[in-house]
Amino acid sequence: MEKFIKFPPELFLRPLARGAPTLVRPQVCLEPKQKLSSTSFLKNAVSSSSTTRNFFKAAVCKELGKPLVIDLIESQPELFSGEIRIQVEAVGVNFGDLLMVVGEYQVKLPTPFVPGSEMSGVILEVGPDVTDLKPGMRVVGLSHSFGAYAEEVVTTQDSVWQIPEKMSMAEAAGFVCSYGTALLALKKRAALKENEHLLVTAAAGAVGLAAVDIGANAIGAKVIGAVGSDEKCDIVRSRGAVAAINYKKDNLRSKMKDMCSSGANVVFDTVGGQIFKDAFRSIAFEGRLLVIGFASGDIPQIPANHLLVKNVSTIGTYWGAYAMENVETFKWSVNEIFRLYNDGKLTPLVSATFDLSQINKAFEFIKARKSVGKVIIEVR
């Protein structure tokens, strides 16, 4: 895995997968009596003294472009130093998961594999040298090599956090990636200040709505959300935005001139394409343009002369890279979103839940652009 995934906000995992010797390898699909191939990680993980083989259910991609299949895969029999075994209760669905199962990532996993990267659940077992986390704790975790759409996941202690008492498993499963990305982008990368104007594109999506929530309720900025329907406009305003624009009906640039004549101090864009271009032309003098992702599939070209004239800063934000390049900042972003949640300043939105057996329906729900906030798979 040498290249970055096309949509980094959804999957922070690429830098973690490079050169980290304790990472869990991708889950391998097995029938209960099937022998492991010589290339399987599980063969290397099995202890010579182990005689018990345990299996659990997972949503398996057996063929790219085909529906996922609920199947049995074998548990990793023994934990290594720093590893945590989690009984999964809920999984956050990310747009990147939909791309993975149709083979539209720059790096393709060999089938069969189990997708999914963020989950919540209860610790079943901890490996050697794990002291701060105990069996029975309610936790949220990030799965280094996917495999989250399953009843059980093994990950590392550095990617697991205890869930606040008042936070549900469903909320927790979709909280860390979206809110971690939005917080780091707005506070560290763009240094958004109170009363500044923040324009968020795809503002009703998981990362977009997190940016609205943090910008309006944690920082005190004046947030304008750009979305694709009147219903989503209502939702964005209900989460703290001072205004919302339906860019399916109205021209984003023209509406921004009416609402904020000086332009947005910060633009938070996850879409790319024409929406990016309109948002870019709506930015204020000395504005900061946050490039978060390209959900439209259209990676725009930035006219450098416009940067010059308006003294605009263009800032890429790949949250997951901090897990390797600046671990302290990565940890700060996660700890800070939990602090803000505990202080009552953040309210994550789960718009829909599906059972594990309904994983394909959940994917279709997102493809149809029916979702707002986060979609969650309830495993138990």
Side-chain angles (χ1 to χ4, degrees):
M1 298 184 179
E2 294 298 329
K3 297 180 180 178
F4 286 113
I5 289 175
K6 188 173 182 181
F7 294 90
E10 300 289 341
L11 290 171
F12 77 105
L13 311 164
R14 191 60 50 222
L16 288 172
R18 296 176 175 172
T22 61
L23 293 183
V24 181
R25 268 62 69 183
Q27 298 281 15
V28 179
C29 173
L30 295 172
E31 299 296 339
K33 295 184 180 180
Q34 179 183 348
K35 291 185 178 180
L36 295 163
S37 69
S38 59
T39 59
S40 170
F41 160 70
L42 291 176
K43 178 178 179 180
N44 297 327
V46 174
S47 168
S48 59
S49 62
S50 175
T51 58
T52 302
R53 299 176 68 192
N54 296 314
F55 297 84
F56 56 87
K57 291 180 182 179
V60 182
C61 179
K62 293 192 173 185
E63 184 179 351
L64 295 177
K66 300 292 184 181
L68 300 187
V69 177
I70 304 302
D71 211 336
L72 293 176
I73 65 174
E74 185 172 12
S75 296
Q76 179 180 320
E78 130 186 13
L79 298 183
F80 297 103
S81 178
E83 289 186 336
I84 306 285
R85 192 188 310 274
I86 298 172
Q87 177 180 281
V88 178
E89 295 202 13
V91 184
V93 180
N94 290 310
F95 186 70
D97 301 338
L98 280 66
L99 297 174
M100 174 184 288
V101 300
V102 295
E104 292 185 3
Y105 283 115
Q106 293 179 0
V107 177
K108 299 176 177 61
L109 290 179
T111 56
F113 65 86
V114 179
S117 59
E118 59 176 339
M119 85 301 295
S120 62
V122 177
I123 295 177
L124 291 173
E125 180 185 2
V126 299
D129 304 325
V130 177
T131 57
D132 294 335
L133 298 165
K134 306 292 183 182
M137 281 185 174
R138 298 169 71 247
V139 294
V140 58
L142 301 171
S143 179
H144 295 307
S145 296
F146 314 107
Y149 292 119
E151 293 179 327
E152 180 181 300
V153 164
V154 173
T155 187
T156 61
Q157 61 180 333
D158 290 339
S159 298
V160 175
W161 295 267
Q162 192 167 4
I163 298 172
E165 288 186 10
K166 63 181 180 180
M167 179 177 272
S168 70
M169 286 289 188
E171 288 176 327
F175 186 63
V176 173
C177 284
S178 297
Y179 275 79
T181 296
L183 181 88
L184 189 139
L186 295 175
K187 292 198 74 171
K188 178 176 174 59
R189 301 292 287 144
L192 178 67
K193 299 178 181 63
E194 186 178 1
N195 291 323
E196 284 192 313
H197 284 92
L198 166 65
L199 171 62
V200 180
T201 65
V207 180
L209 205 57
V212 171
D213 198 5
I214 291 170
N217 303 313
I219 298 175
K222 298 174 182 177
V223 180
I224 300 171
V227 295
S229 73
D230 290 339
E231 179 187 6
K232 290 179 179 179
C233 284
D234 292 338
I235 291 170
V236 167
R237 283 190 289 260
S238 74
R239 311 306 283 192
V242 296
I245 301 169
N246 179 353
Y247 47 58
K248 292 289 182 68
K249 289 172 48 177
D250 300 310
N251 181 271
L252 176 59
R253 188 180 178 192
S254 297
K255 279 291 184 181
M256 279 297 296
K257 285 183 178 180
D258 294 339
M259 294 177 176
C260 180
S261 59
S262 61
N265 303 105
V266 175
V267 171
F268 183 101
D269 180 62
T270 63
V271 180
Q274 186 59 47
I275 297 300
F276 173 93
K277 294 175 184 177
D278 290 342
F280 177 69
R281 291 180 179 275
S282 303
I283 201 165
F285 181 79
E286 290 191 333
R288 290 91 76 197
L289 174 61
L290 289 163
V291 180
I292 310 297
F294 315 105
S296 68
D298 182 355
I299 300 175
Q301 301 298 310
I302 300 174
N305 60 317
H306 290 188
L307 298 177
L308 175 66
V309 171
K310 281 193 171 183
N311 287 272
V312 170
S313 299
T314 304
I315 306 168
T317 303
Y318 180 15
W319 177 63
Y322 285 85
M324 281 291 288
E325 301 296 336
N326 189 335
V327 177
E328 290 305 312
T329 296
F330 181 79
K331 291 180 178 178
W332 165 81
S333 69
V334 179
N335 292 335
E336 182 69 0
I337 59 175
F338 278 117
R339 183 189 71 79
L340 292 169
Y341 176 88
N342 285 327
D343 288 346
K345 293 184 177 180
L346 301 180
T347 310
L349 175 64
V350 175
S351 65
T353 59
F354 296 83
D355 293 335
L356 183 62
S357 62
Q358 299 174 306
I359 181 68
N360 296 303
K361 290 183 179 179
F363 280 14
E364 290 301 321
F365 184 78
I366 293 175
K367 287 179 185 177
R369 301 186 181 277
K370 295 179 180 179
S371 63
V372 294
K374 205 73 175 184
V375 173
I376 300 297
I377 301 299
E378 294 185 327
V379 178
R380 297 178 186 275

